[in-house]
Amino acid sequence: MLDTDRYDAYFFDLDGTIFLGNELLPGVEKTLAALREKQKKIMFLTNTTVQTRTACQTRLQKLGLAARREEIMTAAYAAGLYLQENAEQARVLIVGEPALEEEIASFHIKQVQDAEEATHVLVGMDRGFTYEKLQQAADAVRKGAHLIVANPDPVCPVPGGAIPDTWALARAIETAGGASVWAMTGKPSRYYAEQVFQQFHVQPERCVMVGDRLETDILLGKNSGMKTALVMTGVTTSRELEATEIQPDYILPTMEAMVQVE
């Protein structure tokens, strides 16, 4: 049974956990309000690269959820932190949407369009992905550019199904470029977890990771020493849960169960 009084901080995935499309999922508002009333720390951890932290904040506010930008970590922002710390003089060819470009620009990292100039190729979700983009990215990788992937999500849940996400594009670039991914900065990477703990000043054992994906949300929590809670409102099915070795500490039908089980 999840006793919310036992932990100091709660980390929530967004898509499939907090909302789906433009709708809050059941029990979300009630659960977050209860946790904030208990003065628990809350942070939203998303693998999105198609929204900046500011855009995520605005989206949550439009859905009636108060959130500070500092309470949001995206895969795009984590990629910027990684490049800033590990390749400050990088020349980055981005495969992604304007939000990823904007987030990387906020770190004053040089962006290039020519494969000949690139030292790194950064891949995020790109709903405008073309053969030309694949060619440029593959050429850069073949010439020695490091392939950085913002997140390992093969698909993104949307109302009525799912659409291809970052990892599908990264695999195409790997295949065409003849080189493997150099680094992955989003969930469930250790780098992502370390950034969250540093920015929020919390100890892993005092945190709960809540999400709908076993291979990103739950694995992030388990690999970094957090307790984990899987909500069955997103991509993971009961059959998939039974078939995997990645087992959460808690299984919740909806977010509302977090406050009902106490």
Side-chain angles (χ1 to χ4, degrees):
M1 181 177 294
L2 175 54
D3 179 0
T4 56
D5 288 329
R6 290 180 57 190
Y7 306 100
D8 300 328
Y10 289 82
F11 300 143
F12 296 95
D13 174 51
L14 289 180
D15 286 304
T17 302
I18 296 295
F19 52 68
L20 195 58
N22 294 317
E23 299 290 336
L24 281 180
L25 286 163
V28 166
E29 191 170 10
K30 176 181 178 181
T31 299
L32 295 181
L35 291 174
R36 290 197 186 277
E37 186 175 344
K38 293 181 177 183
Q39 298 185 321
K40 303 298 182 180
K41 294 182 178 181
I42 290 175
M43 194 169 190
F44 301 99
L45 310 184
T46 170
N47 263 351
T48 187
T49 60
V50 299
Q51 289 188 314
T52 63
R53 291 192 302 159
T54 299
C56 288
Q57 178 190 25
T58 299
R59 186 175 185 183
L60 289 168
Q61 289 173 341
K62 286 182 177 179
L63 291 171
L65 301 179
R68 294 180 293 109
R69 190 177 68 166
E70 293 73 23
E71 292 178 322
I72 299 167
M73 174 69 79
T74 71
Y77 188 72
L81 289 170
Y82 178 87
L83 289 167
Q84 183 182 60
E85 293 179 6
N86 296 280
E88 191 175 0
Q89 301 304 316
R91 301 183 302 278
V92 184
L93 190 155
I94 292 180
V95 176
E97 300 191 11
L100 181 56
E101 296 174 352
E102 181 180 339
E103 207 71 274
I104 297 305
S106 72
F107 289 91
H108 306 291
I109 294 168
K110 183 175 178 60
Q111 299 178 38
V112 299
Q113 303 295 323
D114 190 342
E116 296 283 347
E117 298 181 58
T119 60
H120 294 74
V121 174
L122 174 61
V123 185
M125 184 177 180
D126 190 344
R127 289 164 292 188
F129 190 63
T130 63
Y131 193 88
E132 182 179 357
K133 288 183 178 182
L134 173 59
Q135 180 73 63
Q136 283 290 327
D139 284 350
V141 170
R142 274 197 301 273
K143 295 176 187 298
H146 292 321
L147 181 58
I148 311 295
V149 180
N151 66 68
D153 298 340
V155 297
C156 176
V158 296
I163 57 176
D165 207 329
T166 302
W167 201 248
L169 309 187
R171 285 300 194 195
I173 295 167
E174 271 191 323
T175 302
S180 298
V181 169
W182 178 264
M184 192 278 293
T185 61
K187 296 179 292 185
S189 73
R190 184 173 298 276
Y191 181 81
Y192 191 102
E194 289 172 352
Q195 294 305 309
V196 170
F197 297 142
Q198 287 176 18
Q199 294 198 25
F200 230 44
H201 307 291
V202 289
Q203 297 301 313
E205 63 272 15
R206 301 292 300 171
C207 304
V208 180
M209 178 66 219
V210 185
D212 70 307
R213 287 178 181 264
L214 292 166
E215 69 279 7
T216 54
D217 303 321
I218 303 307
L219 198 55
L220 175 77
K222 297 187 80 67
N223 286 348
S224 58
M226 291 188 274
K227 290 298 184 180
T228 58
L230 178 73
V231 286
M232 305 300 292
T233 50
V235 298
T236 301
T237 65
S238 297
R239 180 175 295 181
E240 289 170 339
L241 181 58
E242 292 173 359
T244 182
E245 295 181 356
I246 306 172
Q247 292 296 310
D249 296 293
Y250 307 101
I251 301 171
L252 309 172
T254 69
M255 281 269 286
E256 192 169 20
M258 284 185 65
V259 291
Q260 289 180 338
V261 296
E262 296 186 57

